[in-house]
Amino acid sequence: ANLSKAQSEFADAARKLDDAQADIDAIESPSWYVLDRSKNVGAQSHISDAERIERIAQVFPLIFFLVAALVALTTMTRMVEEERLMIGTMKALGYGNRAITRKYLLYAAMSGTLGIAVGLAMGNFAFPGVIINAYTMVYALPPLKFRFHVWYAVISSVLMLAGILFATYAACRSSLREVPASLMRPKAPKSGKRIFLEKIRPLWRRMKFSHKVTARNLLLYKKRFFMTVIGVAGCTALLLTGFGIRDCVGNVVDKQYGGIFQYNLMAVRYQEDTGSEWEELLRENGIEEWTCAEYLSQKAWDSGESKSVSATAVIPQDDSRLSDFIRLRDAKTGEEYEFTSQSVFITRKMSELLHIGVGDTLTLTGSGEERVSLTVSAVVENYISTYVYIGRDAFREAFGREPVCRVTLARSDATAQERDAVAEHLLADDNTMSASFNENVRESFDRMIGKVNYVVYVLIVSAGALAFIVLYNLININIAERQREIATIKVLGFYDREVAAYIYRENTISALLGMLAGLVLGIFLCHFVVDTAQVDAVMFYPDIPAYAFGLAALLTIVFTVLVNGLLYFKLRRIDMAGSMKAIE
């Protein structure tokens, strides 16, 4: 009896094993996907950020070098002008021009080398530390290891030192042309000349005497006038570019998730399921508006298949409803496009990268070897990532199948506190792979792109410091060269405030003209920098807001007023009797 019972149990177990084996044999062979680092969102984001910083770094050093060369020229010009008596004495004692020039070149080389050493330390350790520490708020990065780039250091040091020495040589050359007797006397004031404003009689007659003097002085000292205008223009352009980049980069997220994407919830399903159960689940969470689509990861090629970009193909279940959830419009005119079953829309970034437009052929390749060709019917506005929007009929003709709509785009009125609960409720369904709100993605992009602001702040502070130095040096030279003139008008009864206004008026007009020129130059510079800093994943439009112009202009004015205020005390200390004494 026990034997027969055991045999019966063995037979049942064998049947179960056979059934299990049959189930195993019925399983289809799985598809393997090998994903490298390029498919990781975090890695790709970090690579894009690094590329963005690298491209910005390719542009600004040249601009700062030119402005720094101007600073060196003004500084050494000021030094040589203040030491005219010493240069004349050395020439009278028999020193040659080369020996005198060597003295100032040695001074410039020593001070320049010290400045270069400080700059290399800050450029290799301080500034990178600020920027990298900002990015640690977004990425989990290993401890920062500073690496001294010898080649970069040599190139930047040689270029900067060469610029300083050339500026010093230029400043010395003009003074050394004079004879010792001339150098040992104060520099003779320039002869006054008629200016073009005097030919405009109605205007000239209505100008005050002090304003006429200012106009003549501005055009009398042309070199200093143009140096001030050029220096201030360069710094103002840098300031405007910094503010423009900050706004351009910072507004990308708002434009994409506030202007283009009209949905705020995306749910991805394992299998296509648009039945009543899914619809009921959406309504249970307060979602009344949604549409479904298929999202395909593709590689888009240009007409000649010589260049490609990664793109996402979007095929809606209902062609007429796609525009309700994704705004399809022209980036320049804002014209809304009608999306039909035959439409093939590409984003502007893809159009620029592949150099294709309306009527051109776009080739798409997926994970396999299949290649499909589509004719572009419109180019639409987009800022983050690249997309191809394909109508159902166009998709069916190209791919030979119906779209599998596993992605749901929806609008939810859930508050910030309710979003997690809604997402968890949707994820509780076994067929839901993921559910995410745009607000969460938006916050992530905000943190990621917002870190570029730290680079911009460094640029703005550096540009402001250069503007201050340029103005201080040039105004100081102006006062040093005209001490006898200033002393004369003080003897004639001008009060300290009137003397200050006499000098400040010229400085302010030069700075304002430089500021206006810088605002115009900054527009082109900002466009150039933004175009250079472009990356494939993000579209930047260099639309400089009005407040950026106001801030750049305001900072320039503040620096001018601050420098004028600092030099007011120098004007007060000018000795009237000593300045007017003849050197003989």
Side-chain angles (χ1 to χ4, degrees), residues 269-319:
R269 309 279 282 170
Y270 286 106
Q271 298 177 355
E272 184 177 26
D273 181 8
T274 57
S276 58
E277 292 184 3
W278 177 238
E279 295 180 2
E280 183 179 348
L281 182 60
L282 292 173
R283 288 194 175 93
E284 286 178 3
N285 289 276
I287 301 170
E288 297 294 337
E289 294 183 86
W290 70 84
T291 190
C292 297
E294 178 173 3
Y295 276 53
L296 289 175
S297 295
Q298 297 283 299
K299 184 167 285 189
W301 299 79
D302 59 3
S303 301
E305 297 190 16
S306 59
K307 186 177 181 181
S308 66
V309 296
S310 298
T312 301
V314 180
I315 307 94
Q317 183 184 53
D318 186 349
D319 298 309

Side-chain angles (χ1 to χ4, degrees), residues 367-425:
S367 57
E369 296 297 327
E370 70 277 4
R371 309 175 82 84
V372 299
S373 297
L374 300 161
T375 301
V376 178
S377 54
V379 178
V380 297
E381 180 182 7
N382 192 77
Y383 297 91
I384 298 176
S385 298
T386 50
Y387 294 92
V388 184
Y389 301 103
I390 308 173
R392 286 180 67 89
D393 291 346
F395 177 83
R396 189 186 301 111
E397 294 170 6
F399 287 81
R401 65 175 179 85
E402 293 291 335
V404 181
C405 300
R406 298 187 299 110
V407 177
T408 298
L409 308 178
R411 279 195 286 267
S412 172
D413 296 329
T415 62
Q417 293 77 14
E418 297 170 343
R419 289 176 200 149
D420 290 341
V422 171
E424 289 178 6
H425 196 188

Side-chain angles (χ1 to χ4, degrees), residues 248-263:
C248 173
V249 172
N251 285 346
V252 165
V253 176
D254 292 333
K255 290 179 178 179
Q256 182 71 29
Y257 291 99
I260 304 301
F261 289 164
Q262 299 297 298
Y263 64 89

Side-chain angles (χ1 to χ4, degrees), residues 72 76 105 108-109 111-113 116 159-169:
M76 295 311 300
L105 288 177
S111 57
T113 302
I116 288 171
L159 288 176
M160 185 56 65
L161 193 58
I164 294 171
L165 294 178
F166 176 78
T168 305
Y169 176 76

Side-chain angles (χ1 to χ4, degrees), residues 87-165:
I87 294 174
T89 303
M90 286 191 291
K91 289 194 71 173
L93 291 174
Y95 286 89
N97 290 347
R98 289 186 179 180
I100 298 173
T101 303
R102 194 181 305 119
K103 168 186 179 295
Y104 290 99
L105 288 177
L106 180 61
Y107 173 85
M110 293 176 63
S111 57
T113 302
L114 179 60
I116 288 171
V118 175
L120 289 177
M122 295 183 65
N124 278 278
F125 305 109
F127 289 163
V130 172
I131 296 169
I132 293 298
N133 287 333
Y135 276 92
T136 57
M137 299 171 62
V138 182
Y139 305 107
L141 299 174
L144 180 62
K145 294 182 179 179
F146 293 103
R147 178 185 173 189
F148 187 78
H149 297 274
V150 178
W151 185 238
Y152 290 161
V154 170
I155 293 176
S156 58
S157 300
V158 169
L159 288 176
M160 185 56 65
L161 193 58
I164 294 171
L165 294 178

